[in-house]
Amino acid sequence: MRPGGALLALLASLLLLLLRLLWCSADSPAGSRLLLEESREATHGTPAALRMLRSPATPVARTTNSTYLNEKSLQLIEKCKNLQDGVESFSKKMKGAELASCCDAVQNFVVSQNNTPVGTNMTYEVESKKRIPIGETIFNMLPISQPFVEYPYNQCAVVGNGGILNKSLCGAEIDKSDFVFRCNLPPTTGNISKDVGSKTNLVTVNPSIITGKYGNLKKKKEFLEDIAAYGDAFLLLPAFSYRANTGASFKVYYALKESKARQKVIFFHPEYLKHLALFWRTKGVTAYRLSTGLMITSVAVALCENVKLYGFWPFSKTVEDTPVSHHYYDNKLPKQGFHEMPKEYGQILQLHMKGILKLQFSECETA
């Protein structure tokens, strides 16, 4: 089914659920009270978000009038609650369908032989007046199709690099995920693994790391030793965002191929990133460029049934006013004006509030 058709089907199903909910509210006093209770929570989203941030594990207490709790009312309450759960589930699917309609990450977020045949004159994502012809050499560097063969994944972890991960003890929980996304070659070995985990299925690589830290791969041995920690993960590079990225990205591809490394290099599709930026622009994120974290979160929402984010915290203090470093491994601040982290985080928090993904704000529960 085409993305637009899937979106229409979801809309039709959601409309049916809403009509049934209206029947609940009209037919049952108990159902009316339940819906009113839910609507009050929904219209006070910001205070609820703040309360959740302050005490994420604290359940919201509910009060009911026992005089109404006869068997029929209980059945109606349960029926209406199930319908509301259905609406929440459809809301989650709708967001995935909305992203699919705009960008179709499942088919298009990685450059492949299927979506980029020989002879394509590919336009760069940011330098849109510049093009690169896809000849046999580049074509043979690409996977035949999207390489995520177990899609959709059930439980996915997107691990940011925020200092809030320190002492979080989230490593074991992260490593239980079916698919783990990481950003920009972060450290995962040694004592830190108890907080950030060690499992990695996909890790992004900013070409500036290749040119800076590894001297444009003059330090090839050091680079290969470092990425060995990621097992057989995919290394995802934005080779076609800027012309300057192409050479460094291709060097990574050939370095891994020549050394017969376990990792595989894949490239962001520039058209996918363009459409994704336009999508988030309609939500108010108008920065020069999206952060890697928001890009990967968007991909995860499309590829996974359940998404949980760790280490996403753009503030210098926790909710308990404890200072935290910018990254869990250093305190290097991002370039000013390049990303809009507050607006991005606001959008991610909205996704959390709607149940589309989960944000981990504090220490993880350990067995």
Side-chain angles (χ1 to χ4, degrees):
M1 183 182 290
R2 294 175 61 186
L7 186 59
L8 287 173
L10 282 171
L11 280 169
S13 300
L14 181 58
L15 179 59
L16 181 60
L17 273 172
L18 288 172
L19 287 170
R20 288 174 177 168
L21 277 170
L22 286 173
W23 172 84
C24 277
S25 61
D27 191 72
S28 163
S32 296
R33 286 199 312 281
L34 184 64
L35 291 176
L36 180 60
E37 209 172 302
E38 293 291 339
S39 67
R40 282 174 180 162
E41 289 183 9
T43 55
H44 292 78
T46 303
L50 291 174
R51 287 197 300 274
M52 180 170 55
L53 281 168
R54 294 290 175 184
S55 183
T58 304
V60 179
R62 289 178 182 256
T63 58
T64 55
N65 188 334
S66 60
T67 61
Y68 286 91
L69 295 183
N70 55 46
E71 185 177 349
K72 184 176 180 181
S73 292
L74 283 171
Q75 289 174 351
L76 285 169
I77 288 173
E78 185 64 25
K79 187 171 184 178
C80 292
K81 182 60 180 167
N82 288 340
L83 285 170
Q84 285 179 312
D85 290 342
V87 169
E88 289 175 5
S89 175
F90 268 100
S91 175
K92 183 175 180 179
K93 290 179 180 178
M94 284 289 292
K95 190 66 177 184
E98 194 179 358
L99 273 169
S101 295
C102 96
C103 314
D104 194 8
V106 175
Q107 298 298 325
N108 294 329
F109 106 85
V110 167
V111 183
S112 70
Q113 294 182 1
N114 281 355
N115 62 31
T116 311
V118 172
T120 301
N121 206 15
M122 182 179 284
T123 302
Y124 280 90
E125 175 210 348
V126 180
E127 296 176 307
S128 57
K129 293 183 180 180
K130 306 297 181 183
R131 296 174 181 269
I132 179 170
I134 305 300
E136 291 286 348
T137 300
I138 297 177
F139 182 79
N140 290 331
M141 297 167 66
L142 310 176
I144 294 173
S145 59
Q146 300 303 291
F148 308 103
V149 293
E150 295 182 26
Y151 156 84
Y153 298 93
N154 178 31
Q155 186 67 46
C156 293
V158 181
V159 187
N161 297 334
I164 197 170
L165 275 171
N166 285 318
K167 300 181 181 179
S168 68
L169 300 177
C170 288
E173 183 176 302
I174 290 168
D175 286 347
K176 288 179 182 177
S177 304
D178 299 306
F179 200 96
V180 179
F181 300 85
R182 299 185 189 271
C183 300
N184 294 330
L185 301 182
T188 58
T189 57
N191 198 42
I192 194 64
S193 64
K194 72 180 187 301
D195 294 327
V196 306
S198 58
K199 181 177 181 178
T200 306
N201 298 98
L202 182 150
V203 59
T204 66
V205 185
N206 192 320
S208 65
I209 298 173
I210 302 303
T211 56
K213 182 177 180 180
Y214 298 107
N216 207 19
L217 283 195
K218 291 177 181 177
K219 301 177 183 178
K220 178 180 173 182
K221 182 179 178 181
E222 181 183 343
F223 170 71
L224 293 173
E225 288 173 352
D226 287 349
I227 65 167
Y230 302 119
D232 56 0
F234 293 102
L235 269 59
L236 175 62
L237 294 101
F240 308 111
S241 291
Y242 301 87
R243 284 187 301 169
N245 287 0
T246 306
S249 299
F250 286 3
K251 281 190 175 184
V252 172
Y253 171 86
Y254 285 115
L256 267 63
K257 183 179 181 180
E258 290 167 6
S259 63
K260 298 182 180 179
R262 296 170 60 190
Q263 302 78 25
K264 301 294 183 185
V265 170
I266 53 179
F267 305 123
F268 264 124
H269 200 299
E271 286 300 314
Y272 170 78
L273 293 180
K274 283 182 187 178
H275 290 139
L276 188 65
L278 288 172
F279 172 83
W280 286 113
R281 187 173 289 273
T282 66
K283 310 297 180 185
V285 181
T286 58
Y288 178 69
R289 187 166 167 78
L290 299 178
S291 71
T292 302
L294 186 56
M295 291 176 185
I296 291 301
T297 296
S298 302
V299 169
V301 168
L303 294 184
C304 310
E305 297 288 349
N306 301 285
V307 178
K308 191 166 186 180
L309 272 54
Y310 304 82
F312 279 68
W313 189 257
F315 312 112
S316 59
K317 292 184 179 181
T318 68
V319 290
E320 292 84 15
D321 291 327
T322 303
V324 292
S325 59
H326 185 66
H327 297 138
Y328 67 81
Y329 47 86
D330 67 31
N331 199 31
K332 185 178 180 181
L333 299 177
K335 293 180 181 178
Q336 291 294 321
F338 203 66
H339 303 307
E340 284 183 324
M341 299 309 294
K343 286 186 178 180
E344 287 194 3
Y345 198 73
Q347 290 297 319
I348 289 172
L349 188 58
Q350 285 189 38
L351 298 182
H352 171 85
M353 296 298 295
K354 292 175 181 177
I356 294 163
L357 53 75
K358 292 183 180 180
L359 268 166
Q360 181 69 28
F361 298 109
S362 56
E363 289 184 15
C364 290
E365 295 182 7
T366 55

